[in-house]
Amino acid sequence: MRPSPALAALAVVSALLAAGCADRGGSDSDGAPTAPTVSAASADFGELKNVCGPGNPTAAPAQGVTADEVEVGVLTDVGFSKNPEFVDAAKVFTSWCNDAGGINGRKIVANIRDTKFMEVRQRVLEACRDDFALVGGGAGLDHLGVRDRVSCLLPEFPGQVIKLENEGSDLQFSVQPGGASYLRNAAFYDWLLKEAYPASASAVGIIVGDSIKSSGEQRIEFLRAWGANVAYSDLYPATGVSNWTPYAQAIKNKGVKGLIFMGDFRMLAKLEQELTNMDYKLDWIDTNVNAYGHAFVDITGSQVLNAQNNMADLSGIHPVEDAAGNPATRQVVDLFAKYAPGAEVSIGAVKSFSAWLLFAKSASACGDNLTRKCLYEQARKETAWTGGGLQAPRDMSAQDSPSQCCNVVKATPDGWKSVDVKANQGSYRCGVASYKLTGSYGKPVTLADVGKSVNDLT
């Protein structure tokens, strides 16, 4: 992989830390039984056949595409967040794919575009100059570069999307369930409020990092539409809180039974320690997917985890700790062990791997004439994308659509465990409730917004 040039030191600690570090959870390969070693020559992944393979390309039909290589960019905040999940996923996927022959004989070169959190636009402009597409990455401030990406007609296959201006923007194929017009976790909240803990609907609380205020507003809109009573809502400074006692006391005074937390899981751990010290136990806490990983379990501790009921919605991504029961997830764990020993297989890494698979399958279908137009057209044909079995189906031709499935995990002193939500499609509960937002929270950038159309793709 080719790292981008060294960047200036980050001077501003942004309040969007929690969003930028989303999906840092997951469990490492030690948490799953060892599967049979994956052959380096195999071009198959899960249910997908011939994802990568040899060939004899001769053309150089697009920017970043020669007869020998395909250059793609990988957005990451690793220089700020120190979370290497997208870098690791890029290393593992490209190593495996190139060992199998590449994209019809073209080797994939992953250019790491480290935003260091604040330099998103600079990295996107570099990708506009050099790369064929953006693949398998993400940035906490992804909205800062989306207009530039759409303007330069750069396709994107992200591992995560954060801001509404970017989520579902044109020329983007996100494997992340849900669309910008819908509340992604509606099915999870519906299950909590109507099935698992119906009494909690009388007193729901929500606390959100001040930099992602709109995420809280969307959930408040949903809760009220669903007939729940929002007994408590507050913002906290995402740059940090020195004393969580006043927040915990307010939650207790309001008699909150179910709590939605949006932000840095390290802050949540401190809040829960205060609640537990007050001997106040909630029916449930939505940790958000940020917390899904061994780090939250480690810093929260067994006393708190035994006292509080921490759950997270994976929205149809198969949990890593259950890899033994899912061949595709098991294969990812194997490939990480082979090409990036010791690297954590996080949920972000799994989504990134699914995005890489979608890119490679679409690009391979183009043959020697690998253009952005062909890549776009091939990706849109995937109307039930599962990443070979890594996730519940996702229609790539309809990015702004509700999540179709949900699955829930619970944090315990022994790690994260799957919760029974009455699955009806493998590990997932599908055909679930959805909610279309009515408030104004922003909208994805379109080609029309920058004076272009899909006909400009070549």
Side-chain angles (χ1 to χ4, degrees):
M1 295 187 293
R2 298 176 186 169
S4 55
L7 307 173
L10 186 65
V12 179
V13 178
S14 171
L16 273 170
L17 172 62
C21 300
D23 299 330
R24 63 173 74 234
S27 64
D28 57 30
S29 57
D30 293 336
T34 302
T37 302
V38 177
S39 168
S42 173
D44 300 339
F45 181 88
E47 300 164 355
L48 300 173
K49 303 299 181 184
N50 300 316
V51 176
C52 303
N56 296 293
T58 59
Q63 175 183 290
V65 180
T66 68
D68 300 314
E69 296 180 341
V70 181
E71 288 195 56
V72 299
V74 182
L75 286 179
T76 174
D77 292 332
V78 66
F80 176 75
S81 69
K82 311 306 179 187
N83 180 4
E85 61 188 351
F86 298 140
V87 178
D88 291 339
K91 177 183 178 181
V92 172
F93 183 86
T94 57
S95 297
W96 168 70
C97 185
N98 288 339
D99 278 356
I103 304 296
N104 297 319
R106 293 182 172 104
K107 300 298 184 183
I108 305 176
V109 176
N111 295 321
I112 303 303
R113 306 294 183 187
D114 184 0
T115 72
K116 295 190 176 178
F117 202 59
M118 295 296 292
E119 298 179 359
V120 178
R121 191 177 183 210
Q122 294 94 314
R123 301 293 83 79
V124 170
L125 288 172
E126 290 169 1
C128 282
R129 182 191 65 207
D130 298 328
D131 298 332
F132 176 59
L134 288 173
V135 185
L141 300 177
D142 56 9
H143 65 301
L144 297 180
V146 63
R147 291 186 70 89
D148 294 298
R149 180 186 64 76
V150 175
S151 293
C152 76
L153 301 173
L154 185 65
E156 182 182 30
F157 297 74
Q160 80 172 14
V161 288
I162 297 292
K163 303 292 284 182
L164 281 173
E165 294 91 336
N166 185 45
E167 184 175 6
S169 54
D170 277 351
L171 306 183
Q172 181 186 89
F173 296 95
S174 173
V175 300
Q176 184 169 294
S181 297
Y182 297 85
L183 185 69
R184 179 171 292 109
N185 308 109
F188 175 45
Y189 296 140
D190 179 73
W191 172 77
L192 284 170
L193 298 170
K194 293 186 176 180
E195 292 186 40
Y197 306 95
S200 68
S202 64
V204 180
I206 182 165
I207 183 166
V208 182
D210 56 9
S211 59
I212 50 173
K213 181 181 177 181
S214 64
S215 293
E217 293 171 343
Q218 292 170 33
R219 282 155 179 79
I220 290 172
E221 177 191 319
F222 167 84
L223 290 168
R224 289 174 174 161
W226 237 241
N229 175 42
V230 181
Y232 168 81
S233 64
D234 204 353
L235 301 174
Y236 77 90
T239 49
V241 175
S242 59
N243 181 12
W244 280 95
T245 301
Y247 295 91
Q249 191 64 58
I251 289 169
K252 182 177 181 180
N253 290 345
K254 295 289 186 178
V256 173
K257 297 179 180 179
L259 179 67
I260 297 172
F261 184 89
M262 299 295 295
D264 188 336
F265 65 86
R266 290 165 292 190
M267 300 294 102
L268 174 58
K270 293 178 180 179
L271 172 61
E272 290 194 33
Q273 287 161 5
E274 292 296 332
L275 288 165
T276 304
N277 288 340
M278 294 177 180
D279 197 28
Y280 191 74
K281 301 178 181 181
L282 296 106
D283 289 350
W284 55 267
I285 297 173
D286 170 23
T287 67
N288 77 69
V289 76
N290 255 353
Y292 174 58
H294 63 76
F296 176 73
V297 171
D298 292 344
I299 65 174
T300 305
S302 59
Q303 180 184 3
V304 174
L305 291 174
N306 281 324
Q308 306 295 347
N309 187 18
N310 287 282
M311 290 188 285
D313 176 22
L314 302 190
S315 300
I317 305 296
H318 193 88
V320 178
E321 54 275 335
D322 292 343
N326 189 51
T329 308
R330 197 174 172 190
Q331 190 170 351
V332 169
V333 171
D334 262 0
L335 290 172
F336 265 71
K338 179 180 178 66
Y339 293 109
E344 181 179 0
V345 187
S346 68
I347 192 170
V350 172
K351 290 195 292 184
S352 176
F353 209 90
S354 182
W356 276 103
L357 287 164
L358 177 62
F359 165 77
K361 185 173 186 293
S362 303
S364 293
C366 293
D368 194 15
N369 191 32
L370 179 52
T371 64
R372 288 176 174 175
K373 180 179 180 181
C374 179
L375 182 72
Y376 172 84
E377 291 172 345
Q378 291 299 324
R380 281 183 58 84
K381 293 179 180 179
E382 300 293 341
T383 57
W385 178 256
T386 67
L390 292 174
Q391 61 182 88
R394 170 96 160 113
D395 186 353
M396 291 300 143
S397 69
Q399 288 285 295
D400 190 16
S401 57
S403 296
Q404 298 297 317
C405 305
C406 76
N407 57 315
V408 179
V409 287
K410 175 179 178 176
T412 77
D414 297 322
W416 290 86
K417 308 292 183 182
S418 292
V419 175
D420 182 7
V421 293
K422 299 179 181 177
N424 56 15
Q425 188 172 320
S427 300
Y428 316 116
R429 179 170 175 171
C430 301
V432 292
S434 63
Y435 178 74
K436 188 165 187 177
L437 297 162
T438 61
S440 179
Y441 306 108
K443 67 181 186 67
V445 173
T446 67
L447 285 162
D449 291 335
V450 296
K452 296 191 176 179
S453 77
V454 72
N455 293 328
D456 293 313
L457 271 180
T458 57

Short mmCIF file of all heavy atoms in Angstrom, two decimals, residues 4-58:
data_model
loop_
_atom_site.label_atom_id
_atom_site.label_comp_id
_atom_site.label_asym_id
_atom_site.label_seq_id
_atom_site.Cartn_x
_atom_site.Cartn_y
_atom_site.Cartn_z
N SER A 4 -0.25 8.14 1.95
CA SER A 4 -0.23 9.50 1.44
C SER A 4 0.86 10.27 2.16
O SER A 4 1.35 9.87 3.22
CB SER A 4 -1.58 10.16 1.66
OG SER A 4 -1.95 10.11 3.01
N PRO A 5 1.31 11.43 1.64
CA PRO A 5 2.38 12.20 2.24
C PRO A 5 2.05 12.58 3.67
O PRO A 5 0.92 12.72 4.08
CB PRO A 5 2.48 13.43 1.33
CG PRO A 5 1.92 12.99 0.03
CD PRO A 5 0.85 12.01 0.37
N ALA A 6 3.11 12.78 4.46
CA ALA A 6 2.92 13.15 5.87
C ALA A 6 2.15 14.45 5.97
O ALA A 6 2.34 15.38 5.20
CB ALA A 6 4.29 13.29 6.53
N LEU A 7 1.28 14.52 6.94
CA LEU A 7 0.40 15.67 7.10
C LEU A 7 0.81 16.48 8.32
O LEU A 7 1.50 15.99 9.21
CB LEU A 7 -1.04 15.19 7.27
CG LEU A 7 -1.53 14.26 6.18
CD1 LEU A 7 -2.91 13.73 6.55
CD2 LEU A 7 -1.57 14.97 4.85
N ALA A 8 0.35 17.71 8.38
CA ALA A 8 0.63 18.56 9.54
C ALA A 8 -0.07 18.02 10.77
O ALA A 8 -1.10 17.38 10.68
CB ALA A 8 0.15 19.98 9.26
N ALA A 9 0.50 18.29 11.93
CA ALA A 9 -0.10 17.80 13.18
C ALA A 9 -1.46 18.43 13.39
O ALA A 9 -1.67 19.60 13.09
CB ALA A 9 0.81 18.13 14.35
N LEU A 10 -2.37 17.63 13.90
CA LEU A 10 -3.74 18.11 14.12
C LEU A 10 -3.76 19.12 15.24
O LEU A 10 -3.28 18.87 16.33
CB LEU A 10 -4.64 16.94 14.47
CG LEU A 10 -6.12 17.25 14.58
CD1 LEU A 10 -6.67 17.68 13.22
CD2 LEU A 10 -6.87 16.05 15.09
N ALA A 11 -4.35 20.30 14.99
CA ALA A 11 -4.35 21.37 15.98
C ALA A 11 -5.66 21.49 16.71
O ALA A 11 -5.73 22.07 17.78
CB ALA A 11 -4.01 22.70 15.32
N VAL A 12 -6.71 20.97 16.11
CA VAL A 12 -8.03 21.14 16.70
C VAL A 12 -8.58 19.80 17.13
O VAL A 12 -8.61 18.87 16.36
CB VAL A 12 -9.01 21.78 15.70
CG1 VAL A 12 -10.39 21.93 16.33
CG2 VAL A 12 -8.48 23.13 15.25
N VAL A 13 -8.99 19.68 18.40
CA VAL A 13 -9.67 18.47 18.86
C VAL A 13 -11.14 18.64 18.58
O VAL A 13 -11.83 19.39 19.24
CB VAL A 13 -9.44 18.24 20.36
CG1 VAL A 13 -10.19 17.00 20.83
CG2 VAL A 13 -7.95 18.08 20.65
N SER A 14 -11.64 17.95 17.56
CA SER A 14 -13.02 18.17 17.14
C SER A 14 -14.01 17.47 18.05
O SER A 14 -13.73 16.41 18.59
CB SER A 14 -13.22 17.69 15.71
OG SER A 14 -14.56 17.71 15.39
N ALA A 15 -15.16 18.08 18.14
CA ALA A 15 -16.23 17.50 18.95
C ALA A 15 -16.86 16.29 18.29
O ALA A 15 -17.69 15.63 18.88
CB ALA A 15 -17.32 18.54 19.21
N LEU A 16 -16.45 15.98 17.06
CA LEU A 16 -17.05 14.83 16.38
C LEU A 16 -16.25 13.55 16.57
O LEU A 16 -16.38 12.62 15.78
CB LEU A 16 -17.17 15.12 14.88
CG LEU A 16 -18.44 15.83 14.47
CD1 LEU A 16 -18.34 16.26 13.02
CD2 LEU A 16 -19.65 14.95 14.66
N LEU A 17 -15.43 13.49 17.62
CA LEU A 17 -14.64 12.30 17.86
C LEU A 17 -15.49 11.04 17.86
O LEU A 17 -15.16 10.03 17.26
CB LEU A 17 -13.91 12.42 19.21
CG LEU A 17 -13.19 11.16 19.71
CD1 LEU A 17 -12.10 10.76 18.73
CD2 LEU A 17 -12.63 11.39 21.09
N ALA A 18 -16.63 11.12 18.52
CA ALA A 18 -17.46 9.92 18.65
C ALA A 18 -17.92 9.41 17.30
O ALA A 18 -17.90 8.22 17.02
CB ALA A 18 -18.66 10.21 19.53
N ALA A 19 -18.37 10.34 16.45
CA ALA A 19 -18.85 9.91 15.14
C ALA A 19 -17.70 9.43 14.27
O ALA A 19 -17.81 8.44 13.57
CB ALA A 19 -19.58 11.08 14.44
N GLY A 20 -16.55 10.14 14.33
CA GLY A 20 -15.41 9.77 13.50
C GLY A 20 -14.85 8.42 13.85
O GLY A 20 -14.25 7.75 13.01
N CYS A 21 -15.01 8.01 15.09
CA CYS A 21 -14.47 6.73 15.52
C CYS A 21 -15.55 5.66 15.56
O CYS A 21 -15.42 4.67 16.26
CB CYS A 21 -13.81 6.86 16.89
SG CYS A 21 -12.45 8.03 16.91
N ALA A 22 -16.64 5.88 14.85
CA ALA A 22 -17.74 4.92 14.88
C ALA A 22 -17.27 3.56 14.42
O ALA A 22 -16.32 3.42 13.67
CB ALA A 22 -18.87 5.40 13.98
N ASP A 23 -17.95 2.55 14.91
CA ASP A 23 -17.71 1.17 14.50
C ASP A 23 -16.33 0.68 14.90
O ASP A 23 -15.71 -0.10 14.20
CB ASP A 23 -17.89 1.02 12.98
CG ASP A 23 -19.29 1.35 12.55
OD1 ASP A 23 -20.24 1.17 13.33
OD2 ASP A 23 -19.44 1.81 11.42
N ARG A 24 -15.81 1.15 16.03
CA ARG A 24 -14.50 0.69 16.45
C ARG A 24 -14.59 -0.65 17.16
O ARG A 24 -13.58 -1.19 17.60
CB ARG A 24 -13.80 1.71 17.35
CG ARG A 24 -14.51 1.97 18.67
CD ARG A 24 -13.68 2.85 19.59
NE ARG A 24 -13.68 4.22 19.13
CZ ARG A 24 -12.55 4.89 18.92
NH1 ARG A 24 -11.40 4.34 19.09
NH2 ARG A 24 -12.59 6.14 18.52
N GLY A 25 -15.83 -1.22 17.25
CA GLY A 25 -16.00 -2.45 18.02
C GLY A 25 -15.61 -3.69 17.25
O GLY A 25 -15.06 -3.65 16.18
N GLY A 26 -15.94 -4.84 17.85
CA GLY A 26 -15.64 -6.13 17.25
C GLY A 26 -14.77 -6.95 18.15
O GLY A 26 -14.31 -6.51 19.18
N SER A 27 -14.52 -8.17 17.79
CA SER A 27 -13.63 -9.01 18.57
C SER A 27 -12.55 -9.55 17.67
O SER A 27 -12.71 -9.64 16.46
CB SER A 27 -14.41 -10.16 19.21
OG SER A 27 -14.95 -11.01 18.24
N ASP A 28 -11.41 -9.88 18.26
CA ASP A 28 -10.30 -10.31 17.44
C ASP A 28 -10.37 -11.79 17.12
O ASP A 28 -11.25 -12.50 17.58
CB ASP A 28 -8.97 -9.94 18.11
CG ASP A 28 -8.86 -10.56 19.50
OD1 ASP A 28 -9.44 -11.64 19.74
OD2 ASP A 28 -8.17 -9.96 20.33
N SER A 29 -9.40 -12.21 16.34
CA SER A 29 -9.44 -13.59 15.86
C SER A 29 -9.31 -14.60 16.98
O SER A 29 -9.69 -15.75 16.82
CB SER A 29 -8.32 -13.81 14.83
OG SER A 29 -7.07 -13.50 15.38
N ASP A 30 -8.77 -14.19 18.13
CA ASP A 30 -8.67 -15.10 19.25
C ASP A 30 -10.04 -15.50 19.79
O ASP A 30 -10.18 -16.50 20.48
CB ASP A 30 -7.86 -14.47 20.39
CG ASP A 30 -6.40 -14.28 19.98
OD1 ASP A 30 -5.95 -15.01 19.08
OD2 ASP A 30 -5.74 -13.41 20.55
N GLY A 31 -11.05 -14.67 19.47
CA GLY A 31 -12.38 -14.93 20.02
C GLY A 31 -13.19 -15.93 19.23
O GLY A 31 -14.29 -16.27 19.61
N ALA A 32 -12.67 -16.37 18.10
CA ALA A 32 -13.43 -17.32 17.27
C ALA A 32 -12.58 -18.55 17.02
O ALA A 32 -11.36 -18.46 16.87
CB ALA A 32 -13.82 -16.66 15.95
N PRO A 33 -13.20 -19.72 16.96
CA PRO A 33 -12.45 -20.94 16.68
C PRO A 33 -11.75 -20.84 15.33
O PRO A 33 -12.23 -20.19 14.41
CB PRO A 33 -13.54 -22.02 16.65
CG PRO A 33 -14.67 -21.44 17.43
CD PRO A 33 -14.61 -19.96 17.20
N THR A 34 -10.59 -21.46 15.23
CA THR A 34 -9.82 -21.41 14.00
C THR A 34 -10.49 -22.23 12.91
O THR A 34 -10.84 -23.38 13.12
CB THR A 34 -8.40 -21.94 14.24
OG1 THR A 34 -7.79 -21.16 15.26
CG2 THR A 34 -7.56 -21.86 12.97
N ALA A 35 -10.67 -21.59 11.75
CA ALA A 35 -11.24 -22.29 10.60
C ALA A 35 -10.11 -22.83 9.73
O ALA A 35 -8.96 -22.44 9.90
CB ALA A 35 -12.12 -21.34 9.80
N PRO A 36 -10.42 -23.70 8.80
CA PRO A 36 -9.38 -24.20 7.91
C PRO A 36 -8.69 -23.06 7.17
O PRO A 36 -9.32 -22.07 6.82
CB PRO A 36 -10.17 -25.09 6.93
CG PRO A 36 -11.40 -25.48 7.68
CD PRO A 36 -11.73 -24.31 8.55
N THR A 37 -7.39 -23.19 6.97
CA THR A 37 -6.62 -22.14 6.32
C THR A 37 -7.16 -21.86 4.93
O THR A 37 -7.44 -22.78 4.16
CB THR A 37 -5.14 -22.56 6.23
OG1 THR A 37 -4.66 -22.82 7.55
CG2 THR A 37 -4.31 -21.46 5.58
N VAL A 38 -7.28 -20.56 4.59
CA VAL A 38 -7.79 -20.17 3.28
C VAL A 38 -6.66 -20.24 2.27
O VAL A 38 -5.58 -19.70 2.48
CB VAL A 38 -8.36 -18.74 3.34
CG1 VAL A 38 -8.82 -18.31 1.95
CG2 VAL A 38 -9.51 -18.67 4.33
N SER A 39 -6.87 -20.89 1.19
CA SER A 39 -5.85 -21.00 0.15
C SER A 39 -5.58 -19.65 -0.47
O SER A 39 -6.48 -18.91 -0.83
CB SER A 39 -6.34 -21.97 -0.94
OG SER A 39 -5.51 -21.89 -2.07
N ALA A 40 -4.29 -19.33 -0.62
CA ALA A 40 -3.92 -18.04 -1.20
C ALA A 40 -4.36 -17.96 -2.65
O ALA A 40 -4.53 -16.88 -3.19
CB ALA A 40 -2.41 -17.85 -1.09
N ALA A 41 -4.52 -19.11 -3.32
CA ALA A 41 -4.88 -19.10 -4.73
C ALA A 41 -6.38 -19.01 -4.95
O ALA A 41 -6.84 -18.81 -6.06
CB ALA A 41 -4.34 -20.35 -5.40
N SER A 42 -7.16 -19.14 -3.88
CA SER A 42 -8.61 -19.13 -4.02
C SER A 42 -9.11 -17.74 -4.37
O SER A 42 -8.75 -16.76 -3.73
CB SER A 42 -9.27 -19.61 -2.73
OG SER A 42 -10.67 -19.46 -2.82
N ALA A 43 -9.97 -17.67 -5.37
CA ALA A 43 -10.57 -16.39 -5.76
C ALA A 43 -11.98 -16.27 -5.25
O ALA A 43 -12.66 -15.29 -5.53
CB ALA A 43 -10.56 -16.26 -7.28
N ASP A 44 -12.45 -17.25 -4.47
CA ASP A 44 -13.82 -17.25 -3.96
C ASP A 44 -13.86 -16.68 -2.54
O ASP A 44 -12.90 -16.81 -1.78
CB ASP A 44 -14.38 -18.67 -3.93
CG ASP A 44 -14.41 -19.32 -5.30
OD1 ASP A 44 -14.37 -18.57 -6.30
OD2 ASP A 44 -14.46 -20.56 -5.36
N PHE A 45 -14.99 -16.07 -2.22
CA PHE A 45 -15.20 -15.60 -0.85
C PHE A 45 -16.64 -15.90 -0.46
O PHE A 45 -17.57 -15.39 -1.09
CB PHE A 45 -14.93 -14.11 -0.70
CG PHE A 45 -15.12 -13.65 0.72
CD1 PHE A 45 -14.07 -13.71 1.63
CD2 PHE A 45 -16.37 -13.24 1.18
CE1 PHE A 45 -14.26 -13.36 2.96
CE2 PHE A 45 -16.56 -12.89 2.50
CZ PHE A 45 -15.50 -12.94 3.40
N GLY A 46 -16.80 -16.69 0.60
CA GLY A 46 -18.15 -17.02 1.03
C GLY A 46 -18.96 -17.56 -0.13
O GLY A 46 -18.55 -18.51 -0.81
N GLU A 47 -20.10 -16.93 -0.36
CA GLU A 47 -20.99 -17.36 -1.45
C GLU A 47 -20.59 -16.77 -2.80
O GLU A 47 -21.20 -17.09 -3.82
CB GLU A 47 -22.42 -16.93 -1.11
CG GLU A 47 -22.96 -17.54 0.19
CD GLU A 47 -24.20 -16.84 0.70
OE1 GLU A 47 -24.59 -15.82 0.09
OE2 GLU A 47 -24.77 -17.29 1.70
N LEU A 48 -19.58 -15.91 -2.83
CA LEU A 48 -19.15 -15.25 -4.06
C LEU A 48 -18.08 -16.07 -4.76
O LEU A 48 -17.15 -16.57 -4.12
CB LEU A 48 -18.60 -13.86 -3.75
CG LEU A 48 -19.56 -12.88 -3.08
CD1 LEU A 48 -18.82 -11.61 -2.68
CD2 LEU A 48 -20.72 -12.54 -4.01
N LYS A 49 -18.19 -16.20 -6.05
CA LYS A 49 -17.24 -16.97 -6.83
C LYS A 49 -16.38 -16.05 -7.71
O LYS A 49 -16.88 -15.08 -8.28
CB LYS A 49 -17.96 -17.98 -7.73
CG LYS A 49 -18.87 -18.95 -6.97
CD LYS A 49 -18.09 -19.79 -5.96
CE LYS A 49 -18.99 -20.75 -5.22
NZ LYS A 49 -18.25 -21.50 -4.17
N ASN A 50 -15.10 -16.38 -7.80
CA ASN A 50 -14.17 -15.66 -8.69
C ASN A 50 -14.21 -14.15 -8.49
O ASN A 50 -14.33 -13.38 -9.44
CB ASN A 50 -14.48 -16.01 -10.15
CG ASN A 50 -14.36 -17.50 -10.42
OD1 ASN A 50 -13.41 -18.14 -9.99
ND2 ASN A 50 -15.34 -18.06 -11.12
N VAL A 51 -14.09 -13.73 -7.24
CA VAL A 51 -14.07 -12.30 -6.93
C VAL A 51 -12.85 -11.65 -7.57
O VAL A 51 -12.93 -10.57 -8.15
CB VAL A 51 -14.05 -12.08 -5.41
CG1 VAL A 51 -13.95 -10.59 -5.09
CG2 VAL A 51 -15.29 -12.68 -4.76
N CYS A 52 -11.72 -12.30 -7.45
CA CYS A 52 -10.47 -11.82 -8.04
C CYS A 52 -9.89 -12.94 -8.90
O CYS A 52 -10.28 -14.09 -8.77
CB CYS A 52 -9.47 -11.42 -6.94
SG CYS A 52 -10.09 -10.17 -5.79
N GLY A 53 -8.93 -12.59 -9.75
CA GLY A 53 -8.34 -13.64 -10.57
C GLY A 53 -7.40 -13.08 -11.62
O GLY A 53 -7.32 -11.87 -11.84
N PRO A 54 -6.69 -13.95 -12.29
CA PRO A 54 -5.70 -13.52 -13.30
C PRO A 54 -6.35 -13.05 -14.58
O PRO A 54 -7.55 -13.22 -14.80
CB PRO A 54 -4.89 -14.80 -13.52
CG PRO A 54 -5.87 -15.91 -13.23
CD PRO A 54 -6.74 -15.40 -12.11
N GLY A 55 -5.54 -12.48 -15.43
CA GLY A 55 -5.99 -12.01 -16.73
C GLY A 55 -4.82 -11.41 -17.49
O GLY A 55 -3.68 -11.38 -16.99
N ASN A 56 -5.09 -10.90 -18.68
CA ASN A 56 -4.05 -10.30 -19.51
C ASN A 56 -4.50 -8.93 -20.01
O ASN A 56 -4.71 -8.72 -21.22
CB ASN A 56 -3.71 -11.21 -20.69
CG ASN A 56 -3.13 -12.54 -20.24
OD1 ASN A 56 -2.02 -12.59 -19.70
ND2 ASN A 56 -3.88 -13.61 -20.46
N PRO A 57 -4.70 -7.98 -19.09
CA PRO A 57 -5.18 -6.66 -19.52
C PRO A 57 -4.12 -5.91 -20.33
O PRO A 57 -2.92 -6.08 -20.11
CB PRO A 57 -5.46 -5.95 -18.19
CG PRO A 57 -4.54 -6.60 -17.20
CD PRO A 57 -4.45 -8.05 -17.63
N THR A 58 -4.59 -5.10 -21.24
CA THR A 58 -3.68 -4.32 -22.09
C THR A 58 -4.01 -2.83 -22.08
O THR A 58 -3.16 -2.01 -22.42
CB THR A 58 -3.75 -4.82 -23.55
OG1 THR A 58 -5.11 -4.70 -24.02
CG2 THR A 58 -3.31 -6.28 -23.64
#
